[in-house]
Amino acid sequence: MVRIPLLVAAVATLRPFGRAVRPKSAELDLQPDHVLLAQQFQRLTPRCQEQLEGLQRDLMVACQLRESRGHDCNKIVGNIFSGWARPRFFETLAASDKEAMLWAGMWDGAGSEPGRTTKQALFDFADSVDADTVHPSSKLGKMVADHGDLEACNKDPAVYEAFTDSSDNKGLIPNFWNQASKVFVKGMANKKQVSVVIVVNKDLNPQAERSFQKSVLYNYELPELAREVNWSFEDGDPWHPQVVVVDLKGTCDEMLKTMKERIEHTVLNEFWVQKWLKKKPLRCLPCTAPCMLDENFAEKVKKEFNRKWYHFW
Ligand SMILES: *[C@@H]1O[C@H](CO)[C@@H](O)[C@H](O)[C@H]1NC(C)=O
């Protein structure tokens, strides 16, 4: 495979750019940001750097396949990691055929409970409710999974350092997840998905090691869901998905309260979002051990969907 010389190219043009000389318009010259981006990659711990560079390489390949000629994929992919933009090719990578499902806190390995909290249990459950885990079922989700879900980066402080003075820049990992969540949730909104299943196995104590408040779901996906619902009112065809949460820790009341606050806070209690929450209040089914994510449980969840059927007579 061709090694994409993004970093090499960027580092080769390294110059002592001060903040004062950054161009005002994003269109004028993106190069200084990409020098800073390359420098930031160099600050990562080796394992995290390997995962992020692997993802970056895959995105470059996808960009070169999908973007029309003449586009500079170095810049385009760089913009994702800088928190600046979501290119079109990136959106197509997040597409899923079935309804998309969100999740947090499933893992394989030590301490994970087979049939309940493993990724395999999650994928089987997604099949049973006829949904897709966009991550990793979509191409983008698979790319992330191929690079260890970027887990080596979770404890690397350098991924949370903003490396330009743009307010959209929150560090490499937040930038990436922010953009990825946007395209995942945008895909659901574009399809006007009637239900959204969210499987969660996280601790509601913010200080806990595996706290809900540190998850991609809490930080990026829920806010994006709120924004998409809010925006959907503008085009006269509002998106009113029924959210059904499956809480593997059995903390439904507190979980729904936390999610609702997160959603309301993101869109500052916008009237239309309030209306959606009133019409389709978030629902939650607890599934504490020995409850399994099996066919029986899937049937219970499907009953909560409240699907609307078309009538022909
Ligand atoms: C909600 O949507 C409206 C447009 O319908 C927009 O003006 C407003 O800024 C949005 N609110 C938020 C918080 O995104």
Side-chain angles (χ1 to χ4, degrees):
M1 203 214 278
V2 193
R3 212 185 127 74
I4 314 296
L6 172 63
L7 289 175
V8 181
V11 172
T13 58
L14 195 64
R15 286 190 277 151
F17 260 101
R19 293 197 158 181
V21 296
R22 276 191 74 221
K24 292 234 161 40
S25 158
E27 298 305 315
L28 281 182
D29 184 7
L30 294 173
Q31 202 56 36
D33 278 328
H34 293 277
V35 173
L36 296 174
L37 174 69
Q39 286 174 330
Q40 195 60 28
F41 266 79
Q42 297 308 314
R43 292 202 184 97
L44 304 174
T45 52
R47 188 73 194 105
C48 168
Q49 192 183 52
E50 190 186 320
Q51 292 188 342
L52 264 189
E53 284 183 356
L55 175 63
Q56 188 187 38
R57 267 198 311 278
D58 286 356
L59 286 171
M60 285 289 293
V61 172
C63 172
Q64 282 158 346
L65 280 174
R66 284 153 210 261
E67 291 284 336
S68 50
R69 267 169 216 271
H71 280 89
D72 180 346
C73 281
N74 264 349
K75 284 184 184 172
I76 293 177
V77 172
N79 283 343
I80 301 171
F81 287 103
S82 303
W84 271 29
R86 292 180 304 287
R88 252 237 316 241
F89 93 90
F90 195 59
E91 291 187 6
T92 62
L93 289 180
S96 69
D97 296 333
K98 299 182 187 172
E99 294 211 326
M101 180 167 153
L102 301 174
W103 59 279
M106 321 292 281
W107 78 98
D108 293 326
S112 193
E113 306 152 79
R116 272 177 48 77
T117 62
T118 59
K119 288 215 179 127
Q120 191 56 52
L122 175 73
F123 301 151
D124 292 345
F125 178 69
D127 273 348
S128 311
V129 295
D130 200 27
D132 250 346
T133 51
V134 271
H135 168 220
S137 295
S138 65
K139 291 200 174 77
L140 178 59
K142 183 166 181 311
M143 275 183 198
V144 178
D146 283 349
H147 299 288
D149 284 324
L150 308 177
E151 270 172 8
C153 295
N154 286 348
K155 293 207 172 121
D156 186 340
V159 301
Y160 301 106
E161 290 167 8
F163 49 91
T164 64
D165 52 9
S166 156
S167 62
D168 292 335
N169 190 339
K170 307 270 195 286
L172 290 169
I173 287 284
N175 292 347
F176 174 76
W177 278 120
N178 195 11
Q179 301 296 347
S181 301
K182 284 191 170 142
V183 292
F184 285 147
V185 175
K186 205 174 171 48
M188 300 181 177
N190 289 346
K191 276 195 294 211
K192 305 267 177 205
Q193 211 172 287
V194 291
S195 52
V196 175
V197 179
I198 304 180
V199 182
V200 57
N201 180 40
K202 288 281 188 183
D203 208 318
L204 278 163
N205 174 1
Q207 311 309 330
E209 165 86 17
R210 306 175 53 78
S211 90
F212 178 54
Q213 289 82 351
K214 289 181 205 148
S215 67
V216 169
L217 175 62
Y218 178 85
N219 285 293
Y220 310 108
E221 290 171 340
L222 283 179
E224 202 51 34
L225 183 66
R227 281 186 213 108
E228 286 293 344
V229 168
N230 176 48
W231 286 325
S232 76
F233 287 95
E234 204 159 57
D235 60 20
D237 185 14
W239 182 42
H240 276 161
Q242 175 63 59
V243 173
V244 180
V245 179
V246 173
D247 186 348
L248 292 161
K249 298 226 184 255
T251 51
C252 272
D253 290 349
E254 195 62 19
M255 180 57 77
L256 285 189
K257 189 162 161 272
T258 309
M259 285 188 177
K260 191 159 173 272
E261 278 170 6
R262 183 71 179 145
I263 288 171
E264 288 172 338
H265 178 78
T266 306
V267 290
L268 311 168
N269 285 314
E270 284 278 1
F271 172 74
W272 294 111
V273 173
Q274 288 298 344
K275 209 172 154 180
W276 161 58
L277 290 174
K278 221 176 222 150
K279 195 170 152 199
K280 298 273 179 75
L282 310 179
R283 297 188 195 174
C284 181
L285 291 173
C287 185
T288 40
C291 164
M292 292 284 174
L293 290 183
D294 55 14
E295 294 286 338
N296 279 341
F297 191 74
E299 284 309 314
K300 271 171 114 174
V301 172
K302 282 198 270 188
K303 282 202 186 114
E304 298 289 317
F305 284 177
N306 192 21
R307 287 178 191 275
K308 293 253 186 304
W309 299 101
Y310 290 101
H311 294 283
F312 298 100
W313 54 88

